[in-house]
Amino acid sequence: MSIRVLLADDQALLRATFRILIDSCADMEVVAEASDGAEAVDLTRKLRPDIVLMDIRMPGTDGLTATSELCADPELSGTRVLILTTFETEDYVAQALRAGASGFLGKDVTADTLLDGLRTVASGEALLSPVATRTLITRFLMAPAPGTHLAAPERLADLTVREREVMALAAEGRSNTEIAEDLTLSPLTVRTHIHRAMTKLHARDRAQLVVIAYQTGLVRATPPA
């Protein structure tokens, strides 16, 4: 089945470029375009795409507000949001991660990186590469937003010891392959532990699993270098 993508960006030329690129792939298609966050929310509720490729800065309802609405809607649990951003806007990206975004891409990414990112998020993984986002995640988790309530450590009670180990390493930015090497497991076994932890914690994807790991104190944030 094709990965169904909704494009949300106020730049028509950029949307057209992404549409051409995505529609050129046999395994994905653009089902709609939105020029602001409100339109993105409306179209997502009507069409139920697999992924919303969401810009943050848009007129009217911005991408951050739209992401919060989409990720808070239980009827849209099958739709994931992939944020388009530049890493200069760390505060916005941090808020999007809290809201449930599944990953981030810069607008200057290569075509292959964009397509691979869409496939990664569609598969249920999070686009949280150690190089691109470890510092970002650490910074926002070291300084929670006012009014933010951290998750209670008891939330992890149903996890096995191994699931906690795997979750902690994932929160440090390790890939499944790296975790497998550290724990002398197969990558498939690591993936299974990740998915079991996600199911038990009701995390929609790996990104939320990472957030829970820090918020419960399973992993402690350290100052970025």
Side-chain angles (χ1 to χ4, degrees):
M1 296 178 62
S2 293
I3 300 169
R4 302 171 70 251
V5 181
L6 187 149
L7 303 176
D9 196 295
D10 62 323
Q11 299 181 49
L13 180 59
L14 191 59
R15 294 199 311 270
T17 301
F18 284 157
R19 176 182 280 274
I20 292 170
L21 177 62
I22 293 169
D23 284 345
S24 69
C25 299
D27 62 336
M28 60 183 76
E29 63 176 328
V30 174
V31 296
E33 297 180 23
S35 59
D36 61 38
E39 187 178 13
V41 171
D42 289 342
L43 288 172
T44 299
R45 286 177 173 152
K46 291 176 183 176
L47 301 174
R48 307 294 175 91
D50 300 304
I51 299 176
V52 178
L53 191 59
M54 181 84 75
D55 186 21
I56 287 183
R57 293 182 174 178
M58 293 184 286
T61 302
D62 62 24
L64 179 60
T65 301
T67 297
S68 297
E69 287 189 43
L70 294 177
C71 294
D73 189 338
E75 294 186 0
L76 298 176
S77 60
T79 296
R80 293 178 170 81
V81 177
L82 180 56
I83 296 292
L84 281 169
T85 184
T86 56
F87 285 100
E88 287 80 7
T89 58
E90 288 186 352
D91 289 341
Y92 290 139
V93 176
Q95 292 177 60
L97 182 59
R98 289 192 188 96
S102 294
F104 316 98
L105 285 174
K107 287 190 175 181
D108 58 350
V109 296
T110 65
D112 287 343
T113 298
L114 172 63
L115 297 175
D116 287 344
L118 290 168
R119 293 185 181 105
T120 295
V121 171
S123 71
E125 300 295 333
L127 201 61
L128 295 173
S129 70
V131 174
T133 62
R134 181 183 292 162
T135 298
L136 174 65
I137 293 169
T138 301
R139 281 179 180 170
F140 108 75
L141 286 165
M142 286 180 63
T148 297
H149 298 288
L150 299 183
E154 291 77 15
R155 190 172 180 185
L156 304 178
D158 291 338
L159 299 186
T160 65
V161 173
R162 182 63 85 187
E163 286 165 356
R164 292 189 187 205
E165 288 178 334
V166 171
M167 180 177 171
L169 290 172
E172 292 175 359
R174 308 285 187 89
S175 68
N176 285 358
T177 300
E178 290 171 334
I179 295 172
E181 292 175 353
D182 286 348
L183 299 180
T184 318
L185 301 171
S186 72
L188 179 59
T189 299
V190 170
R191 182 182 175 89
T192 298
H193 286 308
I194 289 287
H195 280 276
R196 286 177 178 168
M198 285 167 48
T199 299
K200 291 178 180 180
L201 296 170
H202 305 289
R204 63 190 293 149
D205 55 31
R206 195 182 184 110
Q208 284 198 333
L209 197 67
V210 169
V211 172
I212 293 169
Y214 281 95
Q215 290 186 330
T216 56
L218 180 65
V219 175
R220 300 291 181 181
T222 55

